[in-house]
Amino acid sequence: MKINQLFLPFLILAISSNSFLSSAAESPPEVVDIDGKILRTGVDYYILPVVRGRGGGLTMDSIGDKICPLDAVVQEHHEIDQGLPLTFTPVNPKKGVIRESTDLNIIFSANSICVQTTQWKLDDFDETTGQYFITLGGTQGNPGRETVSNWIKIEKFDRDYKLLYCPTVCDICKVICKDIGIFIQDGVRRLALSDAPFKVMFKKA
């Protein structure tokens, strides 16, 4: 069957347009901050609680009497404390927009006297408390088996958001898929895997 040469450019354009629209439709929604603006890669934000009266933003801390390492992501005791700013980097760092249900590195934008990174990662199972805690010291980028503990997702939760550990950067890895919530240890509100998600919102720093 012959195709009219005048019609061919329009056919190619139609196919290209359909492919573009299909690709766009498959992309998860963008995450937005409290002002309704899209979260961007490398920009500082505060992670704040939606529920009032149960603490403030998130910061770094060390558990016990030691100074180093900083081994806990904790919630500030007072609601007025916004904690430390963080950045989000998607599994494809060239993507400038942060989207829901996408593997992310989350990093505190703060210096530390401890010789370690300030990137979040999932710690090994803590037999004393029976918890999987979110700790620090992760490695940025390099998605795969060696970094599977370093990836966190943001998911829509009602009208707000929640944090989820369910990495998809390693096809052959067996991983836990669970929400991130608050576990109170000796009065400290630590981030840990939980059946009760920590409902959050994002504020540009």
Side-chain angles (χ1 to χ4, degrees):
M1 181 179 69
K2 294 183 178 180
I3 298 177
N4 188 305
Q5 291 184 349
L6 293 175
F7 179 69
L8 185 58
F10 296 101
L11 179 62
I12 294 172
L13 178 61
I15 294 172
S16 300
S17 299
N18 287 337
S19 299
F20 175 79
L21 291 173
S22 176
S23 176
E26 292 173 359
S27 298
E30 299 96 344
V31 179
V32 297
D33 63 17
I34 58 175
D35 295 318
K37 296 182 178 179
I38 297 170
L39 265 62
R40 301 283 178 179
T41 303
V43 176
D44 286 342
Y45 296 93
Y46 295 106
I47 298 180
L48 302 174
V50 172
V51 179
R52 301 176 66 87
R54 297 183 185 176
L58 302 178
T59 188
M60 306 180 289
D61 202 356
S62 56
I63 300 302
D65 297 328
K66 62 185 184 298
I67 297 176
C68 291
L70 294 167
D71 53 6
V73 179
V74 304
Q75 185 183 11
E76 295 278 13
H77 288 288
H78 303 293
E79 184 178 321
I80 59 172
D81 293 331
Q82 297 184 115
L84 295 174
L86 311 100
T87 60
F88 305 95
T89 303
V91 65
N92 182 351
K94 294 182 180 179
K95 300 292 185 181
V97 172
I98 305 303
R99 296 183 180 275
E100 298 174 20
S101 308
T102 301
D103 289 299
L104 304 168
N105 289 151
I106 302 179
I107 307 171
F108 280 113
S109 300
N111 295 322
S112 168
I113 61 171
C114 302
V115 183
Q116 66 181 101
T117 71
T118 58
Q119 179 173 310
W120 293 19
K121 69 174 185 177
L122 183 70
D123 206 354
D124 295 332
F125 181 72
D126 185 275
E127 294 184 356
T128 303
T129 60
Q131 300 294 315
Y132 284 97
F133 289 111
I134 302 300
T135 186
L136 299 166
T139 302
Q140 187 171 3
N142 193 29
R145 175 185 287 182
E146 299 300 320
T147 64
V148 73
S149 64
N150 299 339
W151 302 92
I152 308 292
K153 293 179 178 179
I154 299 171
E155 299 279 355
K156 195 71 176 177
F157 186 45
D158 297 332
R159 295 183 178 180
D160 301 291
Y161 296 99
K162 65 179 180 179
L163 303 172
L164 173 73
Y165 178 79
C166 189
T168 52
V169 296
C170 176
D171 294 334
I172 62 173
C173 299
K174 184 178 180 180
V175 300
I176 302 169
C177 283
K178 205 164 187 179
D179 292 326
I180 296 175
I182 299 292
F183 179 82
I184 302 176
Q185 182 183 21
D186 299 326
V188 178
R189 299 176 65 85
R190 298 185 64 179
L191 260 61
L193 300 192
S194 174
D195 292 326
F198 180 42
K199 185 182 285 190
V200 299
M201 55 188 177
F202 306 97
K203 178 183 178 182
K204 189 175 181 181

